Amino acid sequence: MKVAVVGAGRIGGNVAAQLARAGHQVTVSFARDQERLRVLAAAIGASAATPADAVAPAEVVVLSVPWDAIPAALEQAGPLDGKIVIDTTNQFGTGPKPGDGETAAAFNAARMPGARYTKSFNTLTSSFQERTAHGSPRVVQWICGDDDAAKTLVAGLVRDAGYEPVDLGGTRDCAVMEAPRRDGAVYGEEYRLEDARAVVGAARAGRPIPPTPSYERAS
Ligand SMILES: NC(=O)c1ccc[n+]([C@@H]2O[C@H](COP(=O)([O-])OP(=O)(O)OC[C@H]3O[C@@H](n4cnc5c(N)ncnc54)[C@H](OP(=O)(O)O)[C@@H]3O)[C@@H](O)[C@H]2O)c1
């Protein structure tokens, strides 16, 4: 697929590298340091372009910028109509924030009218994501969104990137996968498929999620 990565830093850079390695046509974009962007693109088998040139032909747009850079990134990206967006952001730092009881996913989806919005790759640190890609057993990357077909496609990309996709639900019901790290949430925690299924079951039934699992991991 044609994938535009807007913000190819720690998280977006890893997603770009994993998807390029899986054979996707990846273009990285949005950087203050254009030379570093070009070096990254060359190293991972991707192209570098302006956000608008990356996004226009892309079927999928990965938005992976600091929270306060989202308005500038969206403005430079241009129209997102009909494009599948994978938002990796978390609401740290400055800039407009979700209201009380509103998820960051619902807040950001509303900032991208016409896009087929999903959120993923946001719950685990960048070093952990890089280290565990294609590991066995696979580490879960949670997905939320209100477009089931978009989520199915994103699940395939998450698999291609080397992780286990788990659909947590819609943008209004995904607070457990959002910052901050806290008891009763999956944000910041490693999950494997079986434990993730128990979380989904509890969340859909309106029950508290089971206690956070812990796993033995070599290295
Ligand atoms: N780091 C983590 O462990 C982690 C984990 C999960 C989710 N997240 C979330 O994922 C998002 C990305 O995080 P990250 O850690 O990958 O960030 P990062 O390493 O700082 O990467 C951000 C990217 O955006 C570019 N950028 C930033 N500000 C810009 C601006 N004003 N104009 C143009 N380009 C700009 C940067 O390029 P230049 O530096 O060249 O400008 C960089 O490539 C954040 O919302 C974060 O909360 C992070």
Side-chain angles (χ1 to χ4, degrees), residues 6-14 29-37 40 51 63-70 72-73 76 87-92 108 120-129 179 187:
V6 180
R10 287 167 290 187
I11 295 293
N14 176 58
S29 68
F30 194 66
R32 290 158 298 192
D33 186 339
Q34 293 297 318
E35 180 54 22
R36 198 169 58 188
L37 189 71
L40 171 76
L63 177 69
S64 194
V65 302
W67 184 264
D68 57 5
I70 292 174
Q76 291 181 36
D87 177 11
T88 83
T89 68
N90 291 311
Q91 69 280 29
F92 294 118
N108 278 352
S120 192
F121 297 106
N122 72 299
T123 65
L124 299 166
T125 65
S126 55
S127 55
F128 189 79
Q129 294 196 34
Y187 179 84

Side-chain angles (χ1 to χ4, degrees), residues 27-173:
T27 304
V28 293
S29 68
F30 194 66
R32 290 158 298 192
D33 186 339
Q34 293 297 318
E35 180 54 22
R36 198 169 58 188
L37 189 71
R38 279 192 288 275
V39 168
L40 171 76
I44 65 174
S47 308
T50 65
D53 286 347
V55 166
E59 296 148 287
V60 176
V61 177
V62 178
L63 177 69
S64 194
V65 302
W67 184 264
D68 57 5
I70 292 174
L74 291 178
E75 193 184 327
Q76 291 181 36
L80 295 171
D81 298 4
K83 297 188 190 295
I84 291 176
V85 169
I86 307 176
D87 177 11
T88 83
T89 68
N90 291 311
Q91 69 280 29
F92 294 118
T94 57
K97 294 277 175 62
D100 280 351
E102 184 183 23
T103 64
F107 181 76
N108 278 352
R111 299 205 263 188
M112 302 176 215
R116 303 174 69 192
Y117 177 92
T118 71
K119 177 170 184 167
S120 192
F121 297 106
N122 72 299
T123 65
L124 299 166
T125 65
S126 55
S127 55
F128 189 79
Q129 294 196 34
E130 204 175 342
R131 185 156 46 89
T132 56
H134 300 282
S136 179
R138 288 203 171 200
V139 164
V140 164
Q141 296 282 13
W142 302 92
I143 302 173
C144 74
D146 302 322
D147 179 327
D148 286 341
K151 285 195 286 191
T152 300
L153 192 140
V154 170
L157 292 176
V158 167
R159 243 177 239 115
D160 289 350
Y163 311 97
E164 185 69 49
V166 173
D167 178 0
L168 193 52
T171 55
R172 282 176 297 279
D173 309 312

